[in-house]
Each structure stands twice: as C-alpha cells, then as structure tokens.
Amino acid sequence: ARLTVTVDNTPPEVVWESPVEGQKIRRGAPNPFTLKVRVLDLNPDPSGIVYEVNGVPLAGDSWLISEDGRYTLTARVRDLAGNEAFASIRVDVDTEPPVVEWVAPSPGLAVSGRVNLRIKAEDTPGVRRAFVLVEVNGSALFAVDATSTDGIYWDATLDTSSLPNREVTLQAIAENENRLQSTAALEVKVNNPDLEKPIVEWLDPVDGQNVAGRVTLRVRALDNQSVGEVRIYVGGTLWRTLTPPFDPPEWDTLEVADGPVVLKAIAIDDAGNRSDPAEIQVNVRNQGVPPALSILNPAEGEAVGVQFQVRASVTKQGTPFSWIPQNGNNLWARVYDYRGSLVQEVPLLVNGAQPANNADSVVEASFDLGNVPADLYRLVVEGFVEVNGTTFRLYQERLVSVEVSSNLPPALVIYAPRQGTVLAANTLHIVGDVTDDSGRVHAVEVRMIAGTCAAPGQENYLLRYEAAPYGLFHMEVPLDGHPDIRDGFYCLRVVAIDADNLTLRNIQEFDVDVRRGKAPVANISVSTSSVPVKPGDSATWTVKFLGFPPPDPAPDPAPEPAPEPAPADYVLLLRKDGQIVESYRGQDRLVSVSRPFSEGDVGVWDVLVVFEQDRVQGAAQGGSVAVVAPTGP
C-alpha cells in the first residue's frame, strides 16, 4: 500500500497590510478598524489568524478603538501543518485634540518688555507643535512660536514693545500629529513706558487755503498708545485745547484781520510726549463768504453696509459763487480707510446733474465699497468754488462704521517670511496655514506696499491671488516679474478672503527688506529602506543648512573645504504629488524626517524647506521618492 504525504516544516510569512508599521490612525478613520495581514505559505489556513492588541486577543479582525495612545498590534498565524508565526507592528491612535492650559503669566497680570510665556499641552501620543496668538479687540496681530524639551511644557517669549498699553488676549494653541487643535485664552494688561511722541497733521483747512466766515478746524493726531490732548494756536497764541473725543471746533475768522494767519497744532500723549508742531498758513478773505457745505446723511458714527447713500447740502451765504470743477465734477464724496488710503470716490449730483452756480443744492451719491472688511471709514465731501475772484475749498467729513455679515473671517497664520525678513533672491516664498469655520476659503491675496506697514507709501503691488487654498499652503512669488519689485523696504500684506462673504478678510502684515544678493543654501538628501520603494517601505529625508555661498572664486582657486551646517529657522514641508502632507518647524543646523509608506501613499514624494539664516530667506526642494504599487501575486 502506498501513501502520499506533504512535508511542511516551514512557518508562514506574515506581512501587515492594514495598518502598517508607524501608521497614525487619525480622526475620521473607521471605528471599529479592520485589521488585515497577508499570509505567504504553501498550506495556508484562513481560519488560523488571531489578532492581538497590546497582547489581548480579539474575537475576529475588528478592533474597537476606545482611546488615543500607542498600540502594539500582533497577528499570530498557523498553517494547515501546524506551523506558527507572528508579526507585530506599532501604531499611534490620534483622534482627540490636545489638552492645553496656561501656566504663566497669571490672568490679568500687568506685563511689560519681554515676557516669558509657558503653557502646558498634553496629548496621546504627543503634541506636534504649540504657539501663542496675540489678539487685540478680537483681531490676531501675530503668532509666537513655543518650544519644549519634554513635549508637555512649552515656552515662548513675547516682546510687548509693539503692543498698545491695554488689555491683550493671548491664545495658546496646541496641535497634535493629526493637526487637531485646542486653545486656551489668557487676558493680560500691557503696560510699557511710552517714549514715542505722537504725530499730528492738518486735515482742514490745508496750507495756503483761503478761508472766510466760520471755519471748522480738523486735525488728525496719532500715537502708539493714546493722545491726551491737542493744542491749537492761531497766529502764535493758544486758541483752544482739545481733549478726547476731539470734536472739531469752529474758528470765527472775523476775529482776525484779513491776510495770512498761521495755524499750529501740537499733540500730547498720556505720557506727556509732545509731537512736532504741524503748521499751515491760511489766507483770511472776508470780503466774500463761500457757501456752507453740510453732510445730511449718514450721521457721524452711523452703521452702514458696504452699499450706502450720501446726501449733502450746499447753502449760499449771501455772496455769489461759481463752481471750479475737479476732473469734470463740481463736488466729490470720498471714502478713506483707517490708513488714509482712498477706497472709492463718486461725484455728488442733483438728479444726475452737476450742482448749479450761485444756488442752493441738495446733492446725492451712492457707494458700493465691494469687498472691504468691517471697520471705521472716513467719509469726505469736498469741492472748490470762486467768490469775488478768490478760490475757496469746501470740506466736510465724518466717520462711518461699515458693517458686514456676522460670519467669522478665515483664520490665517504666516510661518514664513517673518517680521524683518531680508529677501535676497528673486523669489519670495510664503508658507502659511489658512482655515475657515465654513470649511472653505475663497482666496489668499499677496501684496507688496512700498515703505513700512506703519508708514505705507503710494506704490501698492498685487503679486499673487491664489484661489481656494485650505490648510497648509506654499506660494512661490517672483519678485522680478510683473510688477518688478525693486530693492527697498516693503510691507508684505497677506489677505485671506472668506468664501461665503467676500467682505470678511483676515490681514497679516510684515515689514520685509528686498535686498538682492546671496541667499543661504541648503542640501537635501534622501535614503530609502529598499529600491524600488513599495508600501511597507520607508524613506528618510535629511536637510543640512549650509549658510551663505562663498564669493565668486578667482581663476584657479584653491579647493574650498565643505561648508559646515549653520543654524536656521525652518519650515519643512513633506509633499506627495506636489500636495503638502506634513510640516515641521523649528531651529537647527540639520533636520531629519522619516515616513513609512502604506498602500494609499503611492505617488511621488519630496521635501520643500523655507528657512532663514541671519534674517535672510532661503529655500530648497528635492529628495524625490517614487512609491510604486507592488506587482505580482
């Protein structure tokens, strides 16, 4: 009698397919999570697979996730011959945001100068980053990065010298590997010594203007903290001291003889700092009185929408007058923003026609300000008339409050560049994070404004308008294209525009210095666990920050030694098929990032890093890795 038997002394080979080693199971993952392995064996037994979570067997392949943490998953396999094998992996479950709380300073504390901030942020398996948003009146001014040595206590330093002396909100924000965030608010009172003097300027009348009758005197006084009083001098004599809210007074020009009169204004802040005097010379001409100009509506401080109507009256004061048109219209209405920049201007008309000479008129105009943020705006009505051969300027103004819908503007944080960054290359790199409560962002706009953010000039260049970014984003903006940005100081303005309401915007501004020259360089290298790279393999990218390149060499130079890494503040972006997947920020000479790949990671991966050394921006990209799908059975 013959008997044929199969001898099988080889244990199975077990390969994890879902999840894979090092995988982070994030919010939104299936729960229960289905475990899956591939068994390679001549005599497999499909019923011989037992899954364990931290050593505890499961009844089947469904893992009910109850809490965040680091888990060891084991698959034990037995084939039909009784041979046994197992394979274990470690995964992180991260579905809940961190727990964050303030440690220092104490709530309500008066702070000044440089303040040490400490927050406690805990998460399982860990906090990825933490930072502090500084807010005044609900508007985020800037972010301060925090660092940690133990992953629990995070420290940062806040320079309060640029903040107003008032209540300031500090928002501590902690983010885990799943980019889930938690916040904790802290109110402090900034109280710095005020050593900066205020600034004062004349709005009405202006230098060289002819005046007659009763004239409203308007000045604008600005201070880094607050203006306490404004003193007005007429002909060298103190005429009036104004205190908040600085209602513009009326000056009766009949109190002085016709001829030139010097008007002077001096502002004094609450700390006693005095401004440089603002002086103008006006010409009193009381042989003829110009018509009176009044704004009928909107009222001072009235809340209006982005679309509103203006009505004004022109009333003859007994002396004949004729209009002097400006750009084809007799009377104009203009709206200016808080920086004094013109937003829109429209002519004021009487039933579609110009107001008549030597006649009383009620004029009207309609504004549609478009996509402007809710804020206070200055409405100005202005025109010129001739009376008895003398030119007079008619001027009235008032503040209006433009209101938009109650929707919140997008949240916008810019990681690079930073305040004071020097742009030495012909390309500006912007890295930021933008989100919105609606889950959609309409666009991010980038502008360069000549001068500084505190004192912007007239040149305003639109460089980029990127539609519908969300989350982490990177913009590569050429400075030598159209428009061509010349060397000099600029205010870089990044604006996030709400998708549901285009009038809601979040604006972040930074002073930058365009100074073309040598930019710092970095070297990117990559190593993989196997070639070709398949799901289950991994890659490690290493970035060395090498500082500034040496000067152009002379003929037949001696060989230069390899540069040593130099410290840099960096933002590293790990990308798949050009899309940002992960980001890392910090300060170091060298940084390494590793990534295990799963079946969903098939594609081309690379690294982009934007960094600063000695405040000069540099950028590098490379380290491409192609993750390919496995072939064969």
Side-chain angles (χ1 to χ4, degrees), residues 35-253:
L35 306 180
K36 183 180 179 182
V37 295
R38 182 171 50 183
V39 180
L40 304 177
D41 191 78
L42 294 175
N43 301 288
D45 181 3
S47 64
I49 304 176
V50 177
Y51 293 101
E52 297 177 355
V53 177
N54 289 344
V56 178
L58 298 179
D61 60 1
S62 293
W63 172 29
L64 182 62
I65 302 172
S66 59
E67 61 183 18
D68 289 0
R70 177 160 291 174
Y71 292 86
T72 299
L73 306 181
T74 302
R76 298 189 181 276
V77 179
R78 184 182 64 252
D79 64 13
L80 293 174
N83 299 303
E84 295 184 348
F86 72 93
S88 296
I89 60 172
R90 290 200 304 177
V91 298
D92 291 328
V93 175
D94 189 10
T95 60
E96 296 298 325
V99 176
V100 59
E101 60 181 292
W102 278 97
V103 178
S106 302
L109 183 69
V111 297
S112 61
R114 297 178 68 84
V115 182
N116 292 326
L117 309 178
R118 169 164 279 203
I119 58 178
K120 184 180 181 182
E122 294 182 282
D123 185 70
T124 303
V127 175
R128 174 175 172 267
R129 66 181 179 121
F131 58 96
V132 177
L133 280 182
V134 181
E135 297 180 349
V136 176
N137 285 342
S139 298
L141 300 182
F142 55 88
V144 180
D145 293 325
T147 59
S148 176
T149 57
D150 59 6
I152 297 176
Y153 290 96
W154 297 76
D155 297 293
T157 302
L158 170 65
D159 185 357
T160 65
S161 60
S162 62
L163 297 175
N165 284 345
R166 58 178 304 165
E167 296 287 341
V168 173
T169 301
L170 304 179
Q171 292 281 3
I173 301 177
E175 182 178 275
N176 63 15
E177 293 292 342
N178 195 19
R179 292 186 174 84
L180 299 176
Q181 292 185 348
S182 293
T183 64
L186 174 70
E187 301 286 340
V188 297
K189 182 175 178 58
V190 177
N191 187 17
N192 282 308
D194 185 3
L195 303 178
E196 186 174 332
K197 61 184 180 182
I199 299 172
V200 65
E201 62 177 335
W202 282 95
L203 296 175
D204 184 41
V206 295
D207 192 37
Q209 182 176 326
N210 298 316
V211 296
R214 301 184 68 86
V215 178
T216 301
L217 304 183
R218 294 183 177 88
V219 297
R220 177 191 290 144
L222 304 173
D223 187 62
N224 63 322
Q225 300 296 342
S226 59
V227 178
E229 65 180 43
V230 175
R231 298 176 183 177
I232 296 180
Y233 297 79
V234 175
T237 303
L238 179 63
W239 175 75
R240 189 73 56 86
T241 298
L242 308 178
T243 56
F246 302 116
D247 293 326
E250 278 195 342
W251 170 44
D252 188 353
T253 63

Side-chain angles (χ1 to χ4, degrees), residues 298-308 335 369 372-379 398-404:
E300 175 71 24
E302 181 179 340
V304 299
V306 293
Q307 297 177 337
F308 66 96
V335 172
L369 302 182
V372 298
D375 206 343
L376 283 175
Y377 291 81
R378 189 161 58 95
L379 170 65
R398 62 189 39 172
L399 292 176
V400 293
S401 175
V402 175
E403 293 186 351
V404 294

Side-chain angles (χ1 to χ4, degrees), residues 1-25:
R2 281 183 187 172
L3 176 66
T4 301
V5 298
T6 299
V7 178
D8 181 3
N9 291 315
T10 303
E13 182 182 349
V14 186
V15 179
W16 275 93
E17 293 188 339
S18 179
V20 295
E21 173 66 32
Q23 182 173 334
K24 291 179 174 58
I25 299 175

